[in-house]
Amino acid sequence: MFVRTEPAHVHGIKLGINRTPARIGFKKNAGQNNHLLITVLVGLESVRDGTASLKDEFSTSWSPKDRSRSALRSREYALVTSLVWITDLIDVYRKQVQKTDSVFDRSIQDSINRIDGRAERLSALASNLQIQLNDPALLMTLFAIKWRNTLVHSESSTRLNASLSRKLISVAAQIAETHRGLDIKRSIETFENGTAPTFKEVASFIAATQSLVESFDSAAIKKMDIQCYAESRLRDYFSREFIGNRQIFSQYWATNPDKSFQRLSNLLTQLGFSRGTHIASLSSEYLKSIAHLTASDARDRFDE
């Protein structure tokens, strides 16, 4: 329970949104990908040079005939797995941000979901968020998805779509500058030769998806009806957490509106809002208006 007793004079509080729950989830799952991948590759170097040994905690056998070859194959596995993981996470993000209340209406959500293909659905989301379709981060992410598909599905073509290839080459200088000299032409050749991506390519794809999610999220928040979003978050919270507990409303909606204002502000910070500078800010008038509700009115409004 989030109820707290605070000073009553609190109407100067400003709440808003900088990140959607979809981005918070993406960050939680993908934020350390590069670091973790590097750690694995550093460990595999110990396997390759023969200094690694099996610790007692591993209840299994491990005696590769060719440690160097085993390390190289494991390195490729780690890179491929990382690529698959990050592209799966971007698809999860796409689904979640697409469903974020007060950003898209149901007809747009349904139209995107009817599109066949992860890359195509991501492009459709970009269009609806008014993200430029020649954005380097978007193009790199679409390339990553295509590479992932060929690794996961053996029947997938190893030829890159001519349009995507042309667009990637057109922003080659930007990609090289952003991703430590990555040669996108050479990456396309590597892909079309059926070769697994290098560490530099996977690291660049991870960075590109993170940049793209940041752009998507900012655009989604700017489209958001933040008051409707706050209503939705409160409604979800009360209906989910306090089913049948009618007394909870009298704890949040006390007879003193200033206390209700503070308690609701604290609750909204637990539900993803924050204090300070925001991409989208919640009107203090909205908070004042709901703080002046009676417990009975609040129950009718938020307990569905």
Side-chain angles (χ1 to χ4, degrees), residues 77-90:
Y77 174 80
L79 291 169
V80 167
T81 302
S82 295
L83 176 61
V84 172
W85 176 244
I86 197 65
T87 51
D88 284 358
L89 287 180
I90 194 74

Side-chain angles (χ1 to χ4, degrees), residues 119-228:
E120 290 76 13
R121 288 191 290 270
L122 191 67
S123 294
L125 179 64
S127 294
N128 278 283
L129 289 174
Q130 297 182 320
I131 301 294
Q132 294 295 318
L133 296 182
N134 62 349
D135 179 272
L138 175 60
L139 296 175
M140 285 285 286
T141 302
L142 296 176
F143 185 16
I145 292 171
K146 176 61 177 175
W147 210 326
R148 175 255 183 213
N149 289 343
T150 63
L151 294 168
V152 173
H153 306 293
S154 58
E155 70 276 11
S156 293
S157 171
T158 56
R159 293 294 298 175
L160 195 61
N161 175 278
S163 175
L164 177 56
S165 180
R166 188 166 52 251
K167 289 177 181 177
L168 282 165
I169 292 171
S170 73
V171 294
Q174 292 171 260
I175 291 173
E177 182 178 357
T178 303
H179 299 289
R180 301 182 180 184
L182 180 70
D183 185 340
I184 197 63
K185 292 182 181 179
R186 181 175 297 174
S187 296
I188 293 171
E189 290 173 3
T190 300
F191 165 75
E192 294 189 335
N193 286 333
T195 307
T198 63
F199 166 70
K200 189 170 190 175
E201 285 159 348
V202 172
S204 297
F205 287 142
I206 291 172
T209 60
Q210 291 170 338
S211 176
L212 185 65
V213 165
E214 182 178 358
S215 297
F216 272 24
D217 220 63
S218 177
I221 291 170
K222 290 174 182 176
K223 283 177 64 70
M224 178 186 291
D225 182 328
I226 194 167
Q227 180 171 312
C228 290

Side-chain angles (χ1 to χ4, degrees), residues 276-291:
T277 303
H278 311 105
I279 297 173
S281 298
L282 190 62
S283 166
S284 61
E285 295 303 315
Y286 167 74
L287 281 173
K288 290 177 186 177
S289 69
I290 61 171

Side-chain angles (χ1 to χ4, degrees), residues 1 3 237-238 242 245-253:
M1 185 182 300
V3 176
Y237 177 76
F238 285 112
F242 299 103
N245 182 0
R246 299 171 68 86
Q247 296 303 312
I248 189 63
F249 292 95
S250 61
Q251 295 177 44
Y252 277 96
W253 280 271

Side-chain angles (χ1 to χ4, degrees), residues 45-57:
E45 279 301 296
S46 296
V47 174
R48 188 187 63 80
D49 64 20
T51 59
S53 61
L54 187 68
K55 300 296 188 292
D56 292 339
E57 65 191 79

